[in-house]
Amino acid sequence: MKMRRHRVFLLCTVGLCVISFLHYYKALHYVSLLRELSAPYPNIKSFIMVSGFFWREKGAGSTPLSPASPEEAPPLPVVLRPLDTKGRMAAAGSEGGGGAEGTALGNGGGLIGGGAGMRMKLREELAPPHPWEKPQENQRGGEPVEERPEGRLKTLNLAQPAWPEVPLGRGAAGDPSSDPLESMGDLHTRSHPLQDDRTPYFVRTKAGALCFRRGTEVAVQKEQKEYSGKLGGSAGQRKPLQVQQQPSVTPKAKARNRGGGGGRRLVKCVCRPGWHGPYCGVPTMVYHSNLPTKERLTPRDTPRRVVNAINVNHEFDLLHVRFHELAQAVDVFLICESNFTAYGERRPLSFLRLLLNGTYDYVRHKILYVFLDHFPEGGRQDGWIADDYLRTYLTHNGLSRVAGLRADDVFVINDADEIPAHEGLLFLKLFDGWTEPFAIHMRKSLYGFFWKQFGSLEVVSGCTVGMLRAVYDGDGIKLRRREYYTMPGFRKYENDTGHILVQWSVGSPFHFAGWHCSWCFSPAGIYFKLVSAQNGDFPRWGDYEDKRDLNYIRDLIRTGGWFDGSLQEYPPVDPKEHMYAPRYMLEHLERYRYLLENPYSTRPTKGWGGGEA
């Protein structure tokens, strides 16, 4: 009898092991164990060679990424269907609808978007539209433009002193005595209809390769080169996105490439520096990330829509930087403002005043204003209640007013001092195959970008709208502070969508994917932050009179010290280093000099490559 019980126990144990193995086999199929083990240890990377024996992957999606040279672009999936004109018209008609959720994420075998390749033919003569144009103006064609469009934006009237007396930012204008609530109307209740992004991000070369416009090198025509050489000028105009000429091949090789004997014709995109992959659409910050599914990335037929949500207090200079950095990648900004500070005191609606007086007109068609007109119960006693409620209200109220959201659209929530790089969000917008949720590695700075801190700030920042609703109950604070596997709905979401949830991070501690600039204000702005801080993050330095002294704050900026009297160690920085600061700040040096150079340092500063545009 005793032996029989032991046998039953042994059989049950074996059965549990088999069930566990079968369950995790699916996950292991997408996360190469050998690669994950070898990632932090370059000395054992040679073991990856063995992974092909145990884990052989087939199909177009298994094409590896190469840091040295672009790989041959895998052929598009064979199961191509004709362009569904009726479906496109129905989708376009539903964009202005009442916020009904779209179709499911697809059956991509555990990957977002189903891994479907790009199927629509894009005309080479179409140019990416100006990101500040309204959607109805984005349909106009023109010559392709290769450079980023931010440099062509209209210059704001920023004739303000270097250190404002009030922390409204140097874009503030208008009568401060007027109450913006009287002019708000239905701004805080109106909905925002999302539309599909029709920008031709990808183009086909004459050789047949599907290439990302911005990441693909262009070839100069021979006649233009000769003509330019005769004139003695710079290189002539470049023909957009024509792959460089390849070495000649024998007729037999050509016949093999054309499909003789069942072979496939190989074509390639020539990647520019900073871009990788067979389509030249994977930025360096993603290439060097811990994304476990890099071999399965494929361009989308229709780009996702990206929603960026933030709470704003008085970070108006950084808000301009965010808009200029992300306008090309983000489709709608959810900006939440309250007439209460995080401490529970009344405050003016400064952002609303700036929004109504035209300060943000260049991006207003992408802003959805969320107004929080009350303070949460218990928030004065426990500041974390107020801190969490701000993001909960932002997500619930904001997303409920975005019409036409689909389950595979991307939701990203940040603090106002966290600015993601646009390359990372553009990748999430254009490619299928990445897992969720995702974090972002950001460069850390204190008081200004001149005090760079060691390491990076890694913050869980986003996922698809479908996961946000099904796993996190549509609550942005749960996304930032709760592990997805502790949420009760994550298993059902996996089963319903076929996705394997594997958290990853855009960027790495050495390849930043954004910027986190903490306490980056003028002394007056830091004072306002001190007195507005929530009553939970102790010690609350705003309660100490000597810490609120402006001369004391100036000395902290000069030395890089902290309010407790300690002095931190900072690595040396060079303003010309990669990812020192967002590009818009470097192009407007005079406006942002107080954040780019230590205004109280007596040491000479290094030269700058940028200037006021």
Side-chain angles (χ1 to χ4, degrees):
M1 181 64 69
K2 188 174 182 179
M3 289 296 295
R4 184 174 299 174
R5 287 198 301 267
H6 280 272
R7 288 179 182 177
V8 173
F9 177 76
L10 180 61
L11 289 175
C12 292
T13 304
V14 173
L16 289 174
C17 292
V18 171
I19 294 174
S20 299
F21 174 76
L22 292 176
H23 177 75
Y24 287 104
Y25 174 81
K26 188 177 181 181
L28 289 174
H29 181 71
Y30 297 107
V31 184
S32 176
L33 182 60
L34 291 176
R35 181 177 60 193
E36 289 298 314
L37 290 175
S38 63
Y41 309 104
N43 293 332
I44 64 171
K45 281 190 175 181
S46 58
F47 284 107
I48 297 180
M49 298 173 59
V50 189
S51 64
F53 178 81
F54 295 101
W55 226 271
R56 186 172 300 277
E57 299 174 352
K58 300 179 181 179
S62 62
T63 304
L65 302 181
S66 171
S69 62
E71 294 293 333
E72 303 294 339
L76 297 179
V78 181
V79 289
L80 299 182
R81 64 177 186 273
L83 293 178
D84 187 0
T85 308
K86 294 182 179 179
R88 290 176 182 274
M89 293 176 63
S94 65
E95 287 168 3
E101 188 168 322
T103 58
L105 297 183
N107 58 354
L111 304 179
I112 296 193
M118 182 74 108
R119 292 186 293 271
M120 51 187 295
K121 286 272 189 174
L122 300 174
R123 296 180 300 172
E124 291 189 18
E125 64 269 15
L126 288 179
H130 201 291
W132 310 116
E133 293 175 350
K134 296 185 178 180
Q136 58 266 26
E137 300 172 348
N138 286 350
Q139 309 301 325
R140 295 180 297 179
E143 292 300 322
V145 181
E146 297 300 329
E147 70 276 2
R148 286 183 60 188
E150 286 86 336
R152 301 192 304 275
L153 302 179
K154 65 177 183 179
T155 305
L156 300 175
N157 184 13
L158 305 175
Q160 298 286 338
W163 295 103
E165 294 299 324
V166 292
L168 288 179
R170 274 170 297 284
D175 183 10
S177 62
S178 63
D179 186 4
L181 281 175
E182 299 176 358
S183 306
M184 181 167 58
D186 66 342
L187 184 65
H188 63 299
T189 58
R190 67 181 61 164
S191 62
H192 182 96
L194 274 184
Q195 298 183 2
D196 283 333
D197 189 350
R198 303 297 184 182
T199 305
Y201 292 102
F202 292 87
V203 67
R204 286 202 178 276
T205 65
K206 289 185 176 180
L210 183 65
C211 303
F212 179 57
R213 282 177 177 267
R214 186 181 168 199
T216 304
E217 191 55 82
V218 295
V220 181
Q221 286 185 312
K222 184 177 180 181
E223 296 81 2
Q224 292 176 340
K225 273 187 172 182
E226 294 176 354
Y227 181 73
S228 176
K230 290 179 181 179
L231 294 179
S234 58
Q237 293 182 351
R238 300 185 297 179
K239 188 172 182 179
L241 298 170
Q242 179 182 3
V243 295
Q244 296 176 349
Q245 294 182 353
Q246 305 297 326
S248 60
V249 294
T250 62
K252 291 183 179 180
K254 288 183 178 180
R256 288 195 299 268
N257 289 340
R258 289 172 183 169
R264 293 178 178 176
R265 183 181 180 185
L266 298 177
V267 293
K268 66 168 59 177
C269 306
V270 181
C271 296
R272 289 176 172 172
W275 298 92
H276 310 271
Y279 310 99
C280 297
V282 178
T284 297
M285 62 186 64
V286 175
Y287 178 80
H288 289 285
S289 70
N290 62 344
L291 176 63
T293 55
K294 295 175 186 175
E295 295 85 357
R296 295 175 174 81
L297 300 174
T298 53
R300 285 178 58 86
D301 208 3
T302 301
R304 291 184 178 88
R305 283 79 59 84
V306 179
V307 180
N308 186 209
I310 64 169
N311 292 93
V312 66
N313 188 21
H314 63 292
E315 304 86 355
F316 303 117
D317 277 354
L318 292 181
L319 201 58
H320 276 297
V321 178
R322 172 183 298 272
F323 290 152
H324 284 80
E325 176 69 23
L326 298 181
Q328 187 179 12
V330 172
D331 295 88
V332 57
F333 294 94
L334 307 183
I335 311 295
C336 180
E337 184 180 33
S338 175
N339 53 354
F340 292 90
T341 67
Y343 190 63
E345 303 289 344
R346 288 275 182 174
R347 64 177 296 274
L349 296 174
S350 302
F351 172 74
L352 178 60
R353 179 179 292 113
L354 298 177
L355 187 64
L356 294 176
N357 71 16
T359 300
Y360 299 108
D361 277 357
Y362 62 94
V363 72
R364 184 167 178 173
H365 63 283
K366 289 192 174 186
I367 296 177
L368 189 148
Y369 182 72
V370 179
F371 174 48
L372 177 58
D373 61 351
H374 57 278
F375 193 72
E377 184 179 354
R380 187 63 181 265
Q381 292 74 27
D382 185 354
W384 293 111
I385 294 178
D387 194 67
D388 292 356
Y389 184 75
L390 285 170
R391 294 168 179 82
T392 299
Y393 186 86
L394 162 66
T395 313
H396 287 168
N397 182 277
L399 290 182
S400 68
R401 294 163 49 201
V402 179
L405 268 179
R406 292 192 291 260
D408 64 343
D409 289 333
V410 181
F411 175 79
V412 182
I413 185 170
N414 303 120
D415 287 344
D417 57 4
E418 300 168 358
I419 304 176
H422 80 280
E423 292 90 346
L425 297 192
L426 195 60
F427 163 80
L428 300 172
K429 181 186 184 81
L430 300 179
F431 278 86
D432 280 331
W434 45 270
T435 62
E436 56 179 333
F438 59 86
I440 299 178
H441 279 281
M442 288 174 279
R443 181 189 189 271
K444 294 193 301 181
S445 304
L446 181 65
Y447 304 134
F449 294 88
F450 44 85
W451 289 125
K452 176 184 176 181
Q453 297 175 311
F454 286 101
S456 67
L457 178 68
E458 184 182 14
V459 181
V460 178
S461 303
C463 63
T464 62
V465 172
M467 181 178 181
L468 181 72
R469 289 171 172 169
V471 178
Y472 297 108
D473 302 322
D475 192 346
I477 193 61
K478 292 181 180 178
L479 169 65
R480 283 180 68 95
R481 294 186 179 170
R482 298 278 292 275
E483 298 288 353
Y484 70 89
Y485 50 79
T486 65
M487 304 300 295
F490 95 95
R491 188 69 69 192
K492 184 178 185 300
Y493 177 74
E494 282 188 331
N495 296 334
D496 291 345
T497 61
H499 298 165
I500 296 297
L501 301 183
V502 180
Q503 183 175 312
W504 66 290
S505 299
V506 184
S508 72
F510 304 101
H511 298 87
F512 304 125
W515 302 266
H516 174 250
C517 198
S518 184
W519 296 82
C520 288
F521 301 100
S522 67
I526 293 178
Y527 173 90
F528 191 76
K529 182 179 176 70
L530 285 172
V531 299
S532 303
Q534 50 110 329
N535 188 34
D537 192 7
F538 297 109
R540 188 177 183 273
W541 300 112
D543 294 334
Y544 300 88
E545 183 178 358
D546 57 326
K547 307 298 182 183
R548 303 193 301 264
D549 182 73
L550 293 182
N551 289 325
Y552 174 79
I553 295 174
R554 293 187 185 98
D555 193 61
L556 290 182
I557 297 175
R558 179 182 64 84
T559 61
W562 189 237
F563 291 94
D564 61 0
S566 62
L567 289 176
Q568 304 182 39
E569 293 185 5
Y570 299 94
V573 295
D574 185 348
K576 296 182 180 180
E577 69 184 31
H578 182 58
M579 296 293 288
Y580 177 80
R583 178 176 175 176
Y584 180 75
M585 300 182 74
L586 300 176
E587 292 176 344
H588 297 78
L589 176 60
E590 292 306 317
R591 178 183 184 185
Y592 291 100
R593 187 180 295 274
Y594 76 103
L595 295 178
L596 299 173
E597 297 178 358
N598 193 331
Y600 304 109
S601 175
T602 57
R603 299 177 182 178
T605 57
K606 298 182 179 181
W608 290 83
E612 187 74 303

